[in-house]
């Protein structure tokens, strides 16, 4: 039995060297005392350039850890509290390339005393790129690419959420239905590229001239919906009048006519569904059309 045990007692240095991962070991005083060959390959820094430095000031850290003794995170937290942590951030390779990493840091103990810590670094750039792609896909799935505002599906969801919020907190909520006047004539007389330019300009007007809580979406074709949380019918009317004026002031090169819109405003109450609310705004918008266009009407 003793002979078998002797064969199992491999030198710990050989074990550490055999682990093909970027790894560092620090002393209890936060001084780097070991830097693996995989760490050299990953960062470009040789062991002799790293060993002997305080870990929190190492040149591979994108942002050196705070020297404030009252702030403990990452390696400092492990050395103080003896609790393993996972740190996410960036390292900077010797060539200047920033790489997102996840570092698993564990204490090294001699009986109950913390005598250092070991950190194992993982390149998460592929995962980070994947997460970014997913975020971009989610944004893309919600945006109407021509106008730059929310698409129909997204604005439908926003309206449902704002109705629920309005009922829960007993706050007013208004919506605006906007339809560009005689848009078909623009397409017929000036071409669809000009029509697309008009849609882009109108989308930009609403994106940059509404409050942060407000949302706008392209309902379809030349129709837009604006959701106004916290806005009464009168406040919604004033917002609609401002948007109506901005649109009528548009100056689009190559378009030899004024762009105008008809807008209808309706306020939500507890007895209305989202479809009912939109129906009321639509009725007010058609009244604006019938009364001469380029104006705002409210549903009362």
């Amino acid at each position: 039995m003793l002979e078998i045990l002797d064969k199992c007692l491999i030198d710990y240095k050989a074990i550490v060297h055999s682990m093909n991962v970027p790894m560092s070991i620090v002393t209890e005083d936060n001084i780097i005392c070991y830097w693996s060959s995989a760490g050299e390959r990953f960062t470009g820094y040789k062991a002799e350039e790293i060993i002997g430095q305080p870990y929190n000031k190492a040149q591979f850290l994108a942002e050196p850890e705070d020297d404030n003794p009252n702030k403990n995170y990452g390696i400092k937290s492990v050395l103080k509290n003896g609790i393993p942590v996972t740190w996410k951030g960036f390292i900077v390779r010797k060539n200047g390339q920033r790489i997102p990493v996840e570092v698993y840091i564990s204490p090294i103990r001699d009986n109950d005393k913390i005598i250092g810590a070991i950190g194992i670094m993982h390149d998460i750039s592929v995962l980070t790129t994947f997460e970014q792609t997913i975020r971009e896909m989610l944004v893309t799935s919600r945006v109407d690419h021509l106008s730059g505002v929310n698409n129909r599906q997204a604005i439908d969801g926003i309206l449902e959420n704002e109705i629920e919020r309005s009922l829960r907190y007993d706050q007013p909520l208004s919506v605006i239905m906007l339809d560009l006047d005689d848009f078909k004539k623009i397409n017929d007389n000036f071409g669809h590229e000009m029509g697309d330019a008009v849609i882009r300009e109108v989308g930009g007007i609403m994106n940059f001239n509404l409050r942060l809580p407000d949302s706008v979406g392209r309902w379809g074709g030349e129709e837009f919906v604006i959701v106004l949380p916290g806005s009464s019918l009168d406040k919604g009317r004033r917002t609609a009048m401002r948007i109506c004026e901005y649109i009528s002031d548009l100056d689009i090169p190559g378009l030899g006519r004024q762009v105008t819109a008809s807008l209808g405003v309706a306020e939500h109450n507890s007895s209305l569904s989202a479809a009912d609310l939109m129906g009321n705004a639509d009725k007010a918008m058609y009244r604006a059309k019938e009364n001469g266009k380029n104006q705002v009407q409210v549903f009362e």
Side-chain angles (χ1 to χ4, degrees):
M1 178 65 73
L2 291 176
E3 291 179 2
I4 295 174
L5 286 175
D6 286 340
K7 291 179 181 179
C8 291
L9 295 178
I10 303 171
D11 189 305
Y12 79 92
K13 290 184 179 180
I15 295 174
V16 170
H17 284 307
S18 70
M19 297 177 65
N20 189 29
V21 291
M23 181 193 308
S24 61
I25 298 176
V26 302
T27 66
E28 59 185 314
D29 298 324
N30 195 31
I31 301 300
I32 300 172
C33 62
Y34 176 80
W35 186 243
S36 71
S37 57
E40 292 182 331
R41 291 192 299 272
F42 182 57
T43 65
Y45 288 104
K46 296 294 185 182
E48 55 265 28
E49 298 177 89
I50 298 298
I51 291 174
Q53 295 186 47
Y55 184 94
N56 61 311
K57 294 183 179 180
Q59 55 262 58
F60 58 80
L61 292 179
E63 296 178 1
E65 290 188 12
D66 200 312
D67 287 328
N68 187 335
N70 296 320
K71 291 186 178 181
N72 290 292
Y73 50 91
I75 204 91
K76 294 166 64 181
S77 172
V78 174
L79 290 172
K80 179 178 180 181
N81 303 316
I83 300 172
V85 301
T86 299
W87 178 87
K88 273 189 176 183
F90 287 87
I91 62 102
V92 180
R93 288 176 169 162
K94 194 170 184 179
N95 64 5
Q97 182 183 14
R98 283 170 60 93
I99 302 293
V101 296
E102 192 169 63
V103 185
Y104 302 112
I105 309 171
S106 298
I108 301 173
R109 298 177 184 273
D110 183 5
N111 294 322
D112 291 332
K113 183 183 178 184
I114 298 171
I115 61 171
I118 183 168
I120 298 176
M121 193 179 298
H122 296 274
D123 180 356
I124 59 170
S125 54
V126 173
L127 177 60
T128 303
T129 301
F130 177 74
E131 291 174 344
Q132 178 65 27
T133 300
I134 293 297
R135 285 193 291 269
E136 290 173 355
M137 287 174 64
L138 288 173
V139 171
T140 299
S141 70
R142 297 176 58 86
V143 173
D144 174 69
H145 296 289
L146 180 57
S147 63
V149 302
N150 292 293
N151 59 25
R152 173 72 176 265
Q153 181 180 4
I155 200 66
D156 278 345
I158 290 169
L159 179 58
E160 292 284 359
N161 290 338
E162 291 301 343
I163 287 176
E164 183 180 338
R165 194 196 310 272
S166 172
L167 293 172
R168 184 186 307 128
Y169 297 108
D170 193 26
Q171 295 292 318
L173 171 68
S174 293
V175 298
I176 300 170
M177 175 69 82
L178 180 155
D179 186 84
L180 296 175
D181 297 326
D182 302 316
F183 187 73
K184 185 176 183 301
K185 293 181 179 179
I186 294 176
N187 279 332
D188 291 344
N189 297 331
F190 299 94
H192 287 278
E193 287 188 7
M194 183 61 72
D196 289 350
V198 171
I199 294 293
R200 281 193 295 270
E201 291 290 336
V202 171
I205 283 176
M206 288 183 283
N207 257 339
F208 292 105
N209 289 283
L210 292 171
R211 303 173 308 161
L212 189 61
D214 301 336
S215 299
V216 57
R218 189 178 177 195
W219 193 251
E222 65 271 22
E223 287 188 319
F224 294 83
V225 170
I226 305 171
V227 181
L228 306 170
S231 290
S232 63
L233 186 65
D234 182 62
K235 192 170 183 179
R237 179 187 60 82
R238 284 184 273 125
T239 299
M241 291 180 67
R242 188 172 71 250
I243 295 297
C244 185
E245 182 179 349
Y246 290 156
I247 291 173
S248 66
D249 287 341
L250 271 175
D251 182 14
I252 300 179
L255 181 63
R257 53 165 294 168
Q258 184 185 33
V259 178
T260 65
S262 298
L263 298 89
V265 188
E267 185 176 6
H268 183 257
N269 64 57
S270 58
S271 66
L272 295 177
S273 66
D276 293 334
L277 179 59
M278 290 305 304
N280 291 344
D282 194 54
K283 290 173 185 175
M285 184 268 291
Y286 273 105
R287 193 182 310 131
K289 294 277 189 190
E290 294 166 355
N291 287 354
K293 305 174 183 176
N294 192 26
Q295 61 180 271
V296 174
Q297 292 289 327
V298 299
F299 182 88
E300 294 179 304

